[in-house]
């Protein structure tokens, strides 16, 4: 069955003048920087030695709860005609991601009642004070699109807030308020020291009912929700719901070790699967946002994928690590530096790259214009390449590689029994079916034996094989010969470069034993 659960960011929007405080609602989707100074000047000292007598967390809550605030964003409602398919009129950040991974099988989207264009709505979230000067941290999706922002302190005081800076990729925002009294603050903690099973407390304003504290444990670390290059979420079972977004996740010492951001829910409420941005990641971003404005991220221009054991075996690496380059954007910093499809990037700027996420974060952390050295594994040899990191922007696309023109051969129905593949050459009809350009070359996968290695590795009919063991192939015969040579050489697997739709990926297919 298709999955019926869907990830949701927790922002609750109640129309002004609605009969019930929490109804009707709009649920919004929204979706490690090195060498940065940390926020310390205006935060208070850690709450050391807090204990929970008789199992009570009251001492922790007494210190942390006063620094937790409710964030109210006032915005113009989207025109009704644009609300189809998305609770924010189809413009919600990462809405396409949810459609791609969950389709239309998720919980039905609550819709606003008919509204007049220009009618205002309020969106509620949470936040916490990190500076006695009124500096507040929350999620970007809590304030995204707001025309004005209001903060309600724990004692009920309402104050206007100014947006200092925000970052959609990390889903973080910094606000500033002015108060006529000293403000309570919370201290950043060290999320890197968290272990699965550690006790945590989530504080926020779920459904707008008032500041609420829930307890649980760290369920897992390093969760990737595929919402951006910085996904490294802490998974918790402490109940968080719509409205908790932007609120702090604190440890038993009263320090903020995460920012509650997302839930996985089949019914719109907590089912014990929540996600928080780690404090070590958030703190560095907040330090930059406090200076005002947006954050510029570095850009390399490569499409990358993990190096599996089969891939490592096929390319001669002694262990699976690094980021395998499956595509290089034309005119990008990577292309100008000479990075090639099939390269494995194992280091960047002196930092070891263990997987694609490491590379994404390392590149993004670099300021545009900085020259960095990449450690690269290419065709059995280690080398270094220098690249000028570019500026990342939302309109940059990953380009697929084109091959030079050549007349296709007449080979059809070639069998590759060692992998369980049937290959054929491109024909005009196949080009049209696969929406391929006239200069695209390769071997079309016509059949896949479900009992053979190619099927297990994920090869599908309609895939276009454009490379075998990092060597381009233009015809079915060339692909068949290259695969046969790889098998004769004693390799345990062969590395195929596949064009599939708009993506280009490497797939390592093991040869049958014996």
């Amino acid at each position: 069955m298709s999955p019926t659960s869907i990830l949701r960011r927790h922002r609750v929007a109640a129309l002004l003048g609605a009969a019930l405080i929490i109804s009707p609602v709009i649920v919004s989707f929204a979706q490690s920087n090195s060498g940065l100074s940390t926020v310390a000047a205006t935060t208070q000292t850690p709450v050391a030695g807090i204990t929970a007598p008789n199992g009570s967390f009251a001492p922790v809550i007494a210190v942390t709860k006063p620094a937790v605030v409710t964030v109210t964003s006032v915005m113009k409602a989207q025109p009704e005609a644009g609300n189809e398919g998305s609770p924010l009129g189809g413009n919600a950040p990462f809405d396409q991601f949810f459609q791609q991974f969950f389709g239309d099988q998720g919980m039905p989207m609550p819709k606003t009642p008919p509204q007049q264009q220009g009618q205002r709505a309020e969106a509620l979230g949470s936040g916490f004070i990190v500076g006695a000067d009124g500096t507040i941290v929350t999620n970007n999706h809590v304030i995204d699109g707001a025309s004005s922002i209001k903060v309600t302190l724990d004692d009920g005081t309402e104050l206007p807030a100014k947006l200092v800076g925000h970052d959609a990729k990390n889903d973080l925002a910094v606000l500033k308020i002015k108060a006529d009294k000293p403000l309570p603050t919370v201290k950043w903690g060290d999320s890197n020291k968290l272990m699965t099973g550690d006790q945590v407390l989530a504080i926020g304003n779920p459904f707008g009912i008032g500041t609420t504290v829930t307890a649980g444990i760290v369920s897992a670390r390093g969760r990737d929700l595929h919402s951006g290059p910085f996904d490294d979420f802490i998974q918790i079972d402490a109940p968080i719901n719509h409205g908790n977004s932007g609120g702090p996740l604190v440890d038993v010492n009263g320090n903020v070790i995460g920012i509650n951001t997302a839930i996985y829910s089949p019914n719109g409420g907590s089912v014990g699967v929540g996600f928080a941005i780690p404090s070590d990641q958030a703190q560095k971003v907040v330090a930059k946002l406090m200076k005002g404005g947006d954050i510029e991220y570095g850009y390399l221009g490569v499409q990358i994928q993990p190096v599996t054991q089969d891939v490592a075996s096929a390319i001669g690496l002694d262990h699976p690590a690094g980021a395998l380059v499956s595509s290089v954007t034309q005119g990008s910093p990577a292309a100008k530096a000479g990075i090639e499809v099939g390269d494995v990037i194992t280091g960047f700027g002196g930092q070891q790259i263990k997987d694609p996420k490491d590379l994404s974060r390392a590149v993004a952390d670099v300021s545009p214009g900085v020259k960095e050295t990449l450690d690269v594994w290419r065709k059995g040899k280690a080398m270094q390449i220098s690249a000028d990191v570019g500026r990342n922007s939302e309109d940059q696309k990953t380009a697929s590689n084109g091959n030079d023109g050549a007349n296709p051969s007449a080979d059809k129905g070639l069998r590759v029994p060692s992998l369980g593949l049937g290959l054929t050459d491109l024909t005009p009809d196949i080009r049209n079916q696969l929406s391929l350009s006239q200069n695209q070359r390769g071997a079309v996968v016509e059949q896949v034996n479900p009992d053979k290695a190619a099927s297990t590795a994920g090869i599908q009919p309609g895939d276009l094989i454009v490379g075998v063991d990092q060597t381009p192939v233009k015809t079915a015969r060339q692909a068949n010969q290259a695969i046969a040579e790889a098998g004769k050489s004693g390799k345990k697997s062969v590395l195929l470069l596949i064009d599939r739709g708009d993506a280009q990926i490497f797939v390592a297919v093991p040869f049958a034993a014996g």
Side-chain angles (χ1 to χ4, degrees), residues 399-437:
S400 60
N401 287 348
N403 293 311
D404 57 357
N407 293 325
S409 71
D411 290 319
K412 297 182 179 181
L414 285 177
R415 295 292 178 261
V416 187
S418 60
L419 304 183
L421 288 176
L423 304 179
T424 188
D425 284 328
L426 281 169
T427 65
D429 287 342
I430 293 177
R431 285 186 189 281
N432 291 333
Q433 293 175 20
L434 300 181
S435 300
L436 298 176
S437 64

Side-chain angles (χ1 to χ4, degrees), residues 432-447:
N432 291 333
Q433 293 175 20
L434 300 181
S435 300
L436 298 176
S437 64
Q438 289 300 313
N439 66 344
Q440 180 66 68
R441 297 291 179 264
V444 180
V445 176
E446 188 176 36
Q447 295 177 342

Side-chain angles (χ1 to χ4, degrees), residues 60-140:
V60 182
I61 296 168
V63 174
T64 55
K65 181 174 174 289
V68 180
V69 302
T70 297
V71 179
T72 304
S73 300
V74 178
M75 60 193 67
K76 287 182 179 293
Q78 295 286 337
E80 184 182 2
N83 283 338
E84 296 302 321
S86 169
L88 294 182
N91 294 320
F94 298 104
D95 194 41
Q96 183 177 0
F97 155 70
F98 289 103
Q99 288 293 326
Q100 178 183 355
F101 283 89
F102 297 97
D104 297 320
Q105 301 303 314
M107 188 190 80
M109 299 297 99
K111 291 197 176 191
T112 62
Q115 304 175 38
Q116 297 295 324
Q117 185 171 4
Q119 184 177 3
R120 298 193 310 170
E122 285 188 346
L124 305 179
S126 303
F128 54 97
I129 307 171
V130 296
D133 61 348
T135 301
I136 294 171
V137 176
T138 187
N139 282 137
N140 177 71

Side-chain angles (χ1 to χ4, degrees), residues 264-503:
Y264 190 82
S265 174
N267 55 20
S270 173
V271 293
V273 183
F275 303 94
I277 301 170
S279 62
D280 288 358
Q281 172 184 333
Q283 185 179 0
K284 296 173 184 178
V285 176
V286 168
K288 295 193 74 171
L289 292 178
M290 286 176 66
K291 299 176 182 178
D294 302 327
I295 297 177
E296 286 190 336
Y297 291 104
Y299 167 71
L300 198 57
V302 292
Q303 188 177 80
I304 51 179
Q305 65 183 79
V307 178
T308 65
Q309 183 61 60
D310 286 335
V311 169
S313 175
I315 62 178
L317 274 174
D318 56 4
H319 66 283
L324 176 62
V325 177
S326 59
S327 179
V328 179
T329 303
Q330 293 181 5
S332 67
K336 294 176 181 178
I339 295 174
E340 300 177 359
V341 172
D343 286 349
V344 176
I345 300 174
T346 59
F348 181 86
Q351 175 182 338
Q352 183 180 1
I353 301 301
K354 299 178 181 178
D355 53 41
K357 189 63 68 174
D358 280 351
L359 182 61
S360 295
R361 291 171 184 151
V363 173
D365 286 348
V366 175
S367 299
V370 174
K371 182 182 289 291
E372 291 288 1
T373 299
L374 289 76
D375 297 315
V376 172
W377 179 264
R378 176 182 295 172
K379 296 182 179 179
K381 296 181 179 180
M383 59 188 301
Q384 288 190 327
I385 296 176
S386 293
D388 293 316
V389 177
R391 176 174 286 100
N392 199 352
S393 63
E394 295 302 323
D395 58 352
Q396 286 169 333
K397 305 292 184 181
T398 300
S400 60
N401 287 348
N403 293 311
D404 57 357
N407 293 325
S409 71
D411 290 319
K412 297 182 179 181
L414 285 177
R415 295 292 178 261
V416 187
S418 60
L419 304 183
L421 288 176
L423 304 179
T424 188
D425 284 328
L426 281 169
T427 65
D429 287 342
I430 293 177
R431 285 186 189 281
N432 291 333
Q433 293 175 20
L434 300 181
S435 300
L436 298 176
S437 64
Q438 289 300 313
N439 66 344
Q440 180 66 68
R441 297 291 179 264
V444 180
V445 176
E446 188 176 36
Q447 295 177 342
V448 180
N449 187 327
D451 299 322
K452 293 291 186 176
S455 176
T456 303
I459 303 294
Q460 304 170 8
D463 285 348
L464 183 67
I465 300 175
V466 297
V468 177
D469 275 350
Q470 300 176 292
T471 299
V473 294
K474 301 176 182 178
T475 66
R477 182 175 296 276
Q478 286 182 1
N480 187 27
Q481 289 175 344
I483 293 170
E485 290 174 2
K488 293 177 182 178
S489 69
K491 291 184 176 181
K492 295 182 180 179
S493 57
V494 62
L495 190 64
L496 306 181
L497 181 58
I498 302 291
D499 266 3
R500 179 183 296 165
D502 294 329

